[in-house]
């Protein structure tokens, strides 16, 4: 009998995206559309909380944004303020209880919270809070922030937020909605993006500016790292809730996560990716006949590679945009079934050609190996793989769902080999010393005629990072929060952070 099989998705995933609307009569509908534009940041679950000034109304479910928020559902979200969240969860963590926004009613009032990022210290804090009597309803690290807010002795919500966030380390771009206010916050290192926009007098906050484009909103500025932006009927108010720290913006937003039409960290993503392709062509030129992207994420870099090298750009692989997570596989097993469902080679373009195949990254290598084989079986004479980021050797702990180190094909420690079958590794043993995961070894596993990665130096050059403002932990194994965590623990008990108020618009009327 035919069986139901799960299609391999050998990609990095961002945990989520957020979108908030304040001061618009159709706030929930606008939040829905904003989430629709941010769907690429999370496809497991989505939720929207609205405020009518008297109460918070919540609707959330598993699935895609467009499937969840039908007209009858949106009709149950009244008010002129709304907070939306779309989530991608890690393996074993997919359930409705972890869908956001999280809604609580505590001594600071009723509030909803949506979080993009990750807190490496969440496990420690969870155990500490449980010992103090806290009862957790989810397995999400976001709930740690919720409990710290509720336990704060601060007299108002802005003080409680500052109190809570000065106790944790990690990546967070947060949106918080109360009955009559909205707060937007970013961690002091600015790991994840968060932008402010305006539409007909209403304020919009979103993970990416592509949400503004769909809504017809105007981009105003980014929420600054370490900033708490309070939005109320009186206007907007900027608060600095923590001391400044060195910037560590996620460079992978420009490599893969963000939509190419977004402005992220002050740069157009499309421009960064095209430059990555140009630098890749300079760094790893090869005699070839055409440049072919692995769609869709490899397209901008492939365009840049073609422009720089003078080789023609061709869509030699066609993507099926309607592939789900599982499919019924025929009784006669088809080799590379999952990849063939997603991609189909154009034989007329590839046959007899020397092909430069451009992709944004290699994770485990299993999917890249199948794609190379697919292109060869379509008749390509040579396949030269080019990757628009450096080899990924370490997991991310700041909001990216990364496989464990032992699953990353480029990890260079002999204790951490990718979980590949003996057949997959056949012919590789003895090629290099055990434990040395060289580019040549990866090339042989992929079955490509050559393999080239963009260097870390060129990656920084592509985003014009001259001051070390981007996090590159996944390429270096050096994590910026480790030292900060030690510093944080050394001053345990000092929980009150000064709030420096910079008023924009009407004064604080609390």
């Amino acid at each position: 009998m035919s069986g139901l099989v799960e299609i391999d998705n050998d990609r990095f995933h961002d945990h989520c995206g957020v979108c908030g609307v304040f001061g618009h009569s159709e706030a929930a509908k606008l939040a829905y559309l904003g989430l629709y534009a941010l769907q690429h940041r999370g496809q497991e679950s989505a939720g929207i909380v609205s405020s009518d000034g008297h109460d918070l109304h919540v609707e959330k479910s598993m699935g895609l944004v467009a499937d969840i928020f039908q007209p009858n559902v949106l009709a149950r979200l009244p008010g002129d303020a709304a907070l939306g969240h779309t989530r991608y969860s890690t393996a074993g963590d997919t359930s409705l209880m972890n869908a956001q926004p999280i809604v609580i009613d505590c001594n600071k009032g009723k509030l909803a919270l949506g979080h993009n990022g990750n807190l490496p210290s969440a496990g420690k804090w969870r155990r500490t809070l449980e010992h103090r009597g806290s009862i957790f309803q989810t397995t999400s690290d976001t709930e740690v922030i919720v409990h710290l807010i509720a336990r704060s002795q601060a007299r108002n919500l802005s003080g409680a937020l500052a109190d809570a966030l000065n106790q944790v380390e990690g990546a967070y771009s947060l949106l918080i909605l109360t009955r009559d206010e909205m707060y937007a916050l970013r961690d002091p290192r600015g790991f994840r993006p968060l932008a402010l926009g305006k539409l007909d007098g209403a304020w919009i906050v979103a993970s990416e500016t592509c949400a503004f484009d769909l809504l017809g909103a105007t981009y105003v500025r980014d929420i600054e790292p370490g900033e708490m932006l309070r939005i109320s009927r009186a206007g907007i108010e900027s608060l600095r809730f923590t001391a400044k720290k060195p910037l560590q913006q996620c460079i992978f937003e420009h490599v893969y996560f963000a939509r190419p039409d977004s402005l992220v960290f002050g740069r157009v993503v499309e421009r960064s990716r095209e430059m990555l392709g140009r630098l890749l062509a300079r760094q790893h030129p090869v005699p070839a006949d055409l440049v072919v992207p692995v769609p869709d994420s490899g397209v901008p870099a492939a365009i840049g590679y073609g422009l720089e090298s003078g080789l023609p750009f061709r869509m030699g692989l066609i993507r099926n945009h309607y592939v789900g997570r599982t499919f019924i596989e025929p009784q006669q097993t088809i080799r590379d079934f999952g990849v063939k469902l997603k991609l189909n080679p154009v034989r007329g373009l590839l046959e007899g050609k020397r092909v430069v195949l451009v992709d944004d990254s290699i994770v485990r290598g299993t999917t890249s190996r199948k794609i190379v084989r697919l292109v060869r079986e379509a008749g390509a004479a040579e396949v030269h793989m080019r990757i628009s980021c450096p080899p990924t050797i370490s997991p991310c702990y700041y909001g990216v769902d990364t496989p464990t180190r032992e699953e990353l094909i480029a990890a260079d420690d002999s204790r951490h080999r990718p979980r590949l079958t003996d057949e997959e590794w056949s012919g590789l043993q003895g090629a290099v010393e055990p434990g040395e995961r060289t580019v040549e070894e990866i090339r042989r596993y992929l079955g490509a005629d050559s393999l080239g990665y963009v260097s870390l130096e060129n990656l920084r050059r592509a985003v014009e990072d001259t001051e070390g403002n981007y996090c590159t932990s996944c390429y270096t194994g050096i994590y910026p929060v480790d030292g900060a965590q030690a510093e944080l623990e050394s001053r345990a008990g000092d929980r009150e952070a000064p709030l420096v108020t910079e008023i924009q618009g009407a004064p604080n009327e609390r």
Side-chain angles (χ1 to χ4, degrees), residues 15 117-118 120 170-171 191-192 396-400 471 473 479-482:
H15 277 305
N118 188 56
F191 282 106
R192 322 307 307 172
C396 173
Y397 299 105
Y398 310 124
V400 180
C471 177
S473 299
Y479 297 101
V481 164
D482 290 346

Side-chain angles (χ1 to χ4, degrees), residues 333-346:
T333 301
I334 300 172
R335 189 170 75 166
D336 302 336
F337 178 70
V339 170
K340 287 181 178 179
L341 276 173
K342 293 181 177 182
L343 299 173
N344 191 45
V346 183

Side-chain angles (χ1 to χ4, degrees), residues 161-222:
L161 288 170
D163 188 19
L165 295 174
N166 275 284
Q167 297 181 69
V168 298
E169 273 285 356
Y172 50 85
S173 285
L174 293 172
L175 279 183
I176 295 167
L177 179 66
T178 71
R179 292 182 177 92
D180 53 9
E181 296 176 334
M182 181 176 288
Y183 291 81
L185 307 93
R186 279 179 75 197
D187 66 81
R189 288 181 174 81
F191 282 106
R192 322 307 307 172
L194 194 62
L196 176 69
K198 201 164 189 181
L199 174 65
D200 299 330
W203 294 103
I204 316 288
V205 183
S207 293
E208 292 182 36
T209 60
C210 61
F212 302 158
D213 297 334
L214 178 58
L215 299 177
T218 302
Y219 168 75
V220 176
R221 65 176 178 88
D222 282 0

Side-chain angles (χ1 to χ4, degrees), residues 268-338:
V268 177
V269 175
E270 169 74 23
R271 185 182 306 161
S272 296
R273 292 180 187 169
E274 183 178 312
M275 180 54 68
L276 281 169
R278 287 183 176 274
L279 294 172
L280 189 56
R282 296 175 198 171
Q283 187 178 344
H284 296 289
V286 63
D289 300 306
L290 67 162
V291 178
V292 173
V294 176
D296 291 323
S297 56
V299 171
I303 290 172
Y305 194 103
L307 290 171
E308 188 69 24
S309 65
L311 297 173
F313 169 91
R314 294 289 184 270
M315 292 298 293
L317 291 170
I318 304 302
R319 180 186 170 194
N320 180 357
H321 288 83
Y322 303 98
V323 175
R325 288 185 175 274
T326 58
F327 271 85
I328 297 175
E329 189 174 24
Q331 186 174 4
Q332 177 62 47
T333 301
I334 300 172
R335 189 170 75 166
D336 302 336
F337 178 70

Side-chain angles (χ1 to χ4, degrees), residues 427-439:
L428 292 183
Q429 309 307 320
V432 295
E433 290 299 316
E436 295 181 9
R437 194 67 42 70
T438 65
V439 172

Side-chain angles (χ1 to χ4, degrees), residues 47-107:
I48 295 176
V49 174
S50 72
S51 171
D52 57 8
H54 303 286
D55 201 2
L56 298 184
H57 308 268
V58 58
E59 295 287 342
K60 53 186 177 181
S61 184
M62 305 301 294
L64 300 176
V65 172
D67 296 332
I68 297 169
F69 295 106
Q70 298 295 312
N72 62 312
V73 176
L74 289 171
R76 299 196 293 265
L77 294 168
D80 67 351
L83 164 56
H85 185 279
T86 185
R87 184 173 191 267
Y88 175 85
S89 57
T90 56
D93 197 25
T94 303
S95 63
L96 183 57
M97 72 176 181
N98 287 320
Q100 294 187 28
I102 295 176
V103 181
I104 64 164
D105 198 348
C106 67
N107 57 358

Side-chain angles (χ1 to χ4, degrees), residues 81-148:
L83 164 56
H85 185 279
T86 185
R87 184 173 191 267
Y88 175 85
S89 57
T90 56
D93 197 25
T94 303
S95 63
L96 183 57
M97 72 176 181
N98 287 320
Q100 294 187 28
I102 295 176
V103 181
I104 64 164
D105 198 348
C106 67
N107 57 358
K108 305 301 182 299
K110 196 168 186 179
L111 59 90
L113 187 148
H115 173 208
N116 174 210
N118 188 56
L119 307 176
S121 61
K124 181 198 74 172
W125 268 112
R126 188 184 183 96
R127 290 188 295 271
T128 300
L129 290 166
E130 285 175 338
H131 285 312
R132 294 176 183 174
S134 294
I135 299 173
F136 283 77
Q137 302 296 320
T138 76
T139 60
S140 168
D141 59 349
T142 308
E143 197 177 356
V144 168
I145 299 174
V146 171
H147 282 274
L148 291 173

